[in-house]
C-alpha cells in the first residue's frame, strides 16, 4: 500500500518555507526522500532510519516518527532550484524490519517556487 | 559517477507487439528495479531483482516480465503491449543491505507510447 503524501501541491515565493508529509499505514524501517525535476530522473535527498536522528543538508531536513509511521520533509528559505516533485519512499519488512532496499513510493508532492 | 542507463528515451509501439526495455548500471549494485510513473500515481514498482536470475514481483507485475542474466543488466518485457501500458518507465539500482547506503539511483526513463 502506497504511503500518502500531503499536500499534493504547494506554491511558494523564494525565501518561504514548506513542509511535506508522508504517512504510512504499516510499520516502517526507513524512509527515503527523492526530488525529481521536470524531465529528469528522481535524485536521492536523504534517508532516515528507524531509531536514527533527524537528518538534513543545506536548508532541507527531515524527521521520522516511527510510532506514528510518518516522516516530514522541511524546506526552509526556499530557492528556485527547489522546484520539482518530491517523493517519499518507505521501506518496511515484516513487523517494521528491513526489506533490503525495496521501497514503496508515495504519489508525489509538486513544489513550485516563484521569484 | 554512478550511471544507470536505459536503452531508449522514447519508444512507440503497436498494440500486441513484444517490447523490450533494457537497463544497465555500472556500480556493481545487487538490487535493480523497474517502476512505472503515471501522473498522480507516483512511482509504482513492477518488478525488482536482488541477484542474477532472481526476481520478485512488485505492486503491479501483471502484463510484464523481467530478465536478469548479468548483474549489471535488467530487462523489462511487455509480452503483448496494450494501450494501458503507455507510461514512463524508470529503472533504478541500489546496494543490497540494511544500512543507510541503499539509496536508489535512477536512469533517465523511457517514455513508451502504445498505439
Amino acid at each position: 500500500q502506497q504511503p500518502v503524501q500531503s499536500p499534493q501541491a504547494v506554491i511558494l515565493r523564494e525565501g518561504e518555507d514548506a513542509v511535506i508529509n508522508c504517512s504510512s499505514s504499516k510499520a516502517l524501517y526507513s524512509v527515503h526522500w527523492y526530488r525529481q525535476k521536470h524531465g529528469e530522473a528522481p535524485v536521492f535527498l536523504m534517508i532516515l532510519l528507524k531509531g536514527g536522528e533527524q537528518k538534513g543538508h543545506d536548508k532541507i531536513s527531515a524527521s521520522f516518527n516511527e510510532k506514528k509511521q510518518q516522516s516530514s520533509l522541511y524546506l526552509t528559505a526556499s530557492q528556485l532550484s527547489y522546484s520539482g516533485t518530491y517523493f517519499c519512499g518507505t521501506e518496511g519488512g515484516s513487523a517494521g524490519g528491513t526489506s533490503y532496499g525495496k521501497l514503496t513510493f508515495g504519489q508525489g508532492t509538486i513544489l513550485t517556487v516563484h521569484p | 559517477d554512478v550511471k544507470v542507463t536505459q536503452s531508449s528515451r522514447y519508444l512507440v509501439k503497436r498494440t500486441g507487439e513484444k517490447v523490450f526495455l533494457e537497463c544497465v548500471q555500472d556500480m556493481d549494485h545487487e538490487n535493480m528495479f523497474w517502476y512505472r510513473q503515471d501522473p498522480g500515481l507516483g512511482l509504482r514498482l513492477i518488478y525488482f531483482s536482488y541477484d542474477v536470475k532472481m526476481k520478485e514481483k512488485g505492486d503491479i507485475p501483471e502484463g510484464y516480465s523481467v530478465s536478469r542474466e548479468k548483474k549489471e543488466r535488467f530487462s523489462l518485457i511487455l509480452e503483448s503491449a496494450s494501450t494501458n501500458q503507455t507510461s514512463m518507465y524508470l529503472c533504478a539500482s541500489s546496494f543490497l543491505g540494511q544500512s543507510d547506503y541503499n539509496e536508489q539511483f535512477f536512469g533517465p526513463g523511457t517514455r513508451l507510447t502504445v498505439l
Side-chain angles (χ1 to χ4, degrees):
Chain A
Q1 202 165 0
Q2 283 184 283
V4 176
Q5 289 184 231
S6 62
Q8 290 186 336
V10 58
I11 299 173
L12 302 173
R13 294 246 175 241
E14 265 187 303
E16 292 181 334
D17 302 341
V19 180
I20 299 172
N21 299 302
C22 174
S23 181
S24 175
S25 60
K26 61 178 187 177
L28 300 177
Y29 177 79
S30 72
V31 180
H32 294 216
W33 286 97
Y34 293 78
R35 175 172 63 207
Q36 183 180 31
K37 299 203 174 187
H38 184 68
E40 299 180 8
V43 173
F44 175 79
L45 293 175
M46 66 189 74
I47 179 173
L48 299 103
L49 299 177
K50 186 165 73 170
E53 298 177 354
Q54 181 165 337
K55 289 213 170 179
H57 63 89
D58 199 12
K59 292 175 183 160
I60 301 175
S61 62
S63 64
F64 179 20
N65 186 323
E66 298 151 32
K67 286 185 181 176
K68 292 187 177 179
Q69 297 158 190
Q70 291 175 345
S71 177
S72 294
L73 186 72
Y74 306 95
L75 302 105
T76 57
S78 59
Q79 305 166 16
L80 294 177
S81 62
Y82 286 5
S83 292
T85 302
Y86 289 78
F87 293 99
C88 67
T90 58
E91 180 186 9
S94 60
T98 181
S99 57
Y100 297 96
K102 177 186 167 189
L103 300 178
T104 304
F105 285 91
Q107 80 278 19
T109 295
I110 301 171
L111 180 78
T112 305
V113 181
H114 290 298
Chain B
D1 222 16
V2 176
K3 270 225 169 126
V4 180
T5 56
Q6 295 183 226
S7 49
S8 307
R9 290 298 303 268
Y10 299 93
L11 209 54
V12 179
K13 295 291 181 181
R14 298 237 174 244
T15 301
E17 279 193 84
K18 191 168 186 175
V19 182
F20 292 88
L21 302 181
E22 297 222 308
C23 175
V24 178
Q25 51 95 4
D26 66 359
M27 268 294 285
D28 202 34
H29 284 161
E30 295 88 359
N31 286 344
M32 294 190 76
F33 308 86
W34 275 108
Y35 297 93
R36 65 177 281 175
Q37 183 174 20
D38 300 288
L41 297 178
L43 302 165
R44 292 180 293 164
L45 182 66
I46 304 171
Y47 269 97
F48 81 103
S49 169
Y50 52 88
D51 199 354
V52 174
K53 296 193 187 295
M54 304 305 289
K55 61 185 178 185
E56 284 199 22
K57 292 180 181 179
D59 300 313
I60 51 165
E62 297 79 20
Y64 304 95
S65 62
V66 290
S67 172
R68 193 165 180 201
E69 297 295 320
K70 293 185 177 181
K71 190 176 184 179
E72 68 271 17
R73 190 179 297 268
F74 192 35
S75 300
L76 179 70
I77 303 151
L78 288 69
E79 294 288 341
S80 178
S82 64
T83 54
N84 62 13
Q85 292 178 309
T86 292
S87 186
M88 171 68 83
Y89 290 88
L90 288 164
C91 174
S93 69
S94 75
F95 287 115
L96 171 69
Q98 50 182 97
S99 72
D100 57 359
Y101 295 106
N102 62 357
E103 65 183 89
Q104 293 190 13
F105 294 87
F106 285 84
T110 295
R111 183 162 295 283
L112 173 67
T113 302
V114 183
L115 302 175

